[in-house]
Amino acid sequence: MLVATALGVLFGLGFFSGREGFALPDDFQGLGLVWAPDGEDLIVLGIGQGGVGVAELRSVGGRRYWRVSGFPLLAPSWRLAAFSPDGEVVALGATDGLHLIEASSGAEIARLPVEGEIAWLGYMEDGRLAVAVVQDETLYIELRDGIGDLVSREGISPCRLLPYHLTGKLFLSPDGRYLLYPGGERDQWIGFWIVNLLRRDTGDRLSWDLTEHLPWLKEAGYIEALALRPDGGEIAVALTLREPGRPDLFLLDAASGKVKGVRLPGDAESFSVNDLAYSPDGKRLAAVSAKWLCVIQGEKVQTSWDVPGILDIAFSPDGEHLAAITTDTVILFRLEP
């Protein structure tokens, strides 16, 4: 059973070195976050007592407006949340289906069953809710209307991995035209080495087999994170391993098919990138490892911070802030124009 609590507590870290943020309560282990469309609030996702999913609406200053708890989860990897374009509804995904929450109060509007397990969800520019579902080893994309009713269900590709293995690796562009998802056979690494980009308006599908560029990848590593530039023109790819003398991050040009490499902070002994995010205008790319966070513009690192333990990152709607979450803290980085 979901429990909603309205609160007004401020947990402050203060302002320091271009950052601001707030600490999370002791009964909350942070996992993910999502910006509200107005850039004033955040949905913070985590695990509460008893291992259930918890969602909180917070102001950027840390004030907690409400908490909803009781979402059943299969794995400690939860980023299934999205605001409707008008900011009035929050969609949350769990193992028992979709939950639509009133953003102003935290009250549950609807609980909707889903056939299969949810791997990703997000609202389109036209207000429809898109949900990626894995069922019977097949990846589907569902489109739902404003009240959550199913409009269409499209089979995309075979998928033999568990849905939470797709966390940070599957995206649908805001206009619904481009779907990014990984491919590859299940093996001892439980990994992927093929990048797929489907143009849903034409049905054209582009694929990049990264083992053609990195022969060792199929035996010793796999794709750790993917990100799709909002216009669908570029894909960022991070791998589980960093090999001496080789790029740490790859940028795939969707039009030409060319692959460019980017070197990141640290050396090959450093931790690999585990999350990626493009800014809304597509001009910046954020990359995070277990020890640092950096922002890339073009093919060069613009700035970086030594921050350990980041689990998820997200740009604000205006692109001026970058939010990051650890198990116990939310940090907001102010970015230079």
Side-chain angles (χ1 to χ4, degrees):
M1 182 178 71
L2 300 184
V3 180
T5 308
L7 297 148
V9 182
L10 184 65
F11 297 91
L13 287 180
F15 293 79
F16 54 101
S17 303
R19 316 178 200 177
E20 54 187 287
F22 51 90
L24 297 172
D26 293 338
D27 63 348
F28 186 99
Q29 177 184 334
L31 290 177
L33 45 75
V34 178
W35 285 90
D38 62 6
E40 297 295 327
D41 301 312
L42 294 158
I43 288 292
V44 182
L45 301 175
I47 295 178
Q49 294 179 348
V52 298
V54 178
E56 295 185 348
L57 179 66
R58 297 272 192 148
S59 72
V60 293
R63 184 169 298 279
R64 186 168 62 188
Y65 297 114
W66 50 254
R67 169 186 281 200
V68 182
S69 62
F71 299 99
L73 306 175
L74 283 179
S77 177
W78 193 35
R79 300 184 195 171
L80 301 176
F83 272 95
S84 61
D86 59 12
E88 295 182 359
V89 177
V90 178
L92 298 170
T95 57
D96 62 348
L98 274 172
H99 299 260
L100 300 184
I101 308 296
E102 185 179 57
S104 61
S105 67
E108 186 171 70
I109 302 170
R111 182 183 304 182
L112 306 168
V114 174
E115 294 186 15
E117 296 182 53
I118 301 173
W120 177 90
L121 58 80
Y123 277 94
M124 302 294 95
E125 293 171 345
D126 61 8
R128 291 181 297 173
L129 176 63
V131 184
V133 175
V134 176
Q135 183 183 21
D136 298 330
E137 297 190 344
T138 301
L139 174 65
Y140 295 89
I141 293 294
E142 295 185 352
L143 293 180
R144 294 174 175 263
D145 62 19
I147 59 174
D149 289 341
L150 185 64
V151 175
S152 64
R153 195 172 202 250
E154 176 187 2
I156 301 297
S157 171
C159 181
R160 289 179 288 275
L161 296 184
L162 297 173
Y164 65 83
H165 289 144
L166 293 172
T167 299
K169 304 180 184 72
L170 187 150
F171 298 93
L172 185 62
S173 61
D175 59 9
R177 293 175 59 199
Y178 299 97
L179 175 66
L180 173 67
Y181 63 97
E185 297 179 4
R186 187 171 187 166
D187 63 7
Q188 62 176 333
W189 297 99
I190 315 180
F192 310 93
W193 53 87
I194 298 174
V195 179
N196 298 293
L197 183 65
L198 173 64
R199 285 199 58 169
R200 298 180 62 250
D201 54 346
T202 65
D204 295 335
R205 194 184 312 256
L206 300 174
S207 295
W208 293 263
D209 186 340
L210 297 184
T211 61
E212 296 177 0
H213 302 273
L214 304 168
W216 52 267
L217 181 61
K218 193 171 182 179
E219 300 297 330
Y222 52 91
I223 296 170
E224 178 68 19
L226 292 172
L228 178 65
R229 201 171 67 189
D231 64 2
E234 184 179 85
I235 300 164
V237 185
L239 307 176
T240 53
L241 299 178
R242 301 179 72 177
E243 189 180 27
R246 289 188 177 272
D248 309 300
L249 182 69
F250 295 89
L251 302 178
L252 312 183
D253 187 291
S256 67
K258 293 182 179 179
V259 180
K260 297 182 292 185
V262 178
R263 298 303 302 269
L264 298 177
D267 52 32
E269 301 302 319
S270 302
F271 288 94
S272 59
V273 173
N274 54 39
D275 198 16
L276 296 164
Y278 277 98
S279 60
D281 62 7
K283 294 181 179 180
R284 288 169 165 166
L285 173 67
V288 63
S289 78
K291 287 191 173 183
W292 48 256
L293 167 66
C294 69
V295 176
I296 301 159
Q297 194 157 9
E299 299 173 36
K300 296 182 179 180
V301 175
Q302 184 182 45
T303 187
S304 64
W305 300 271
D306 292 326
V307 184
I310 294 177
L311 299 173
D312 192 18
I313 51 176
F315 280 94
S316 61
D318 61 10
E320 295 182 1
H321 288 81
L322 180 63
I325 188 170
T326 69
T327 57
D328 58 8
T329 306
V330 171
I331 307 171
L332 303 177
F333 298 87
R334 295 195 298 270
L335 303 176
E336 296 294 331

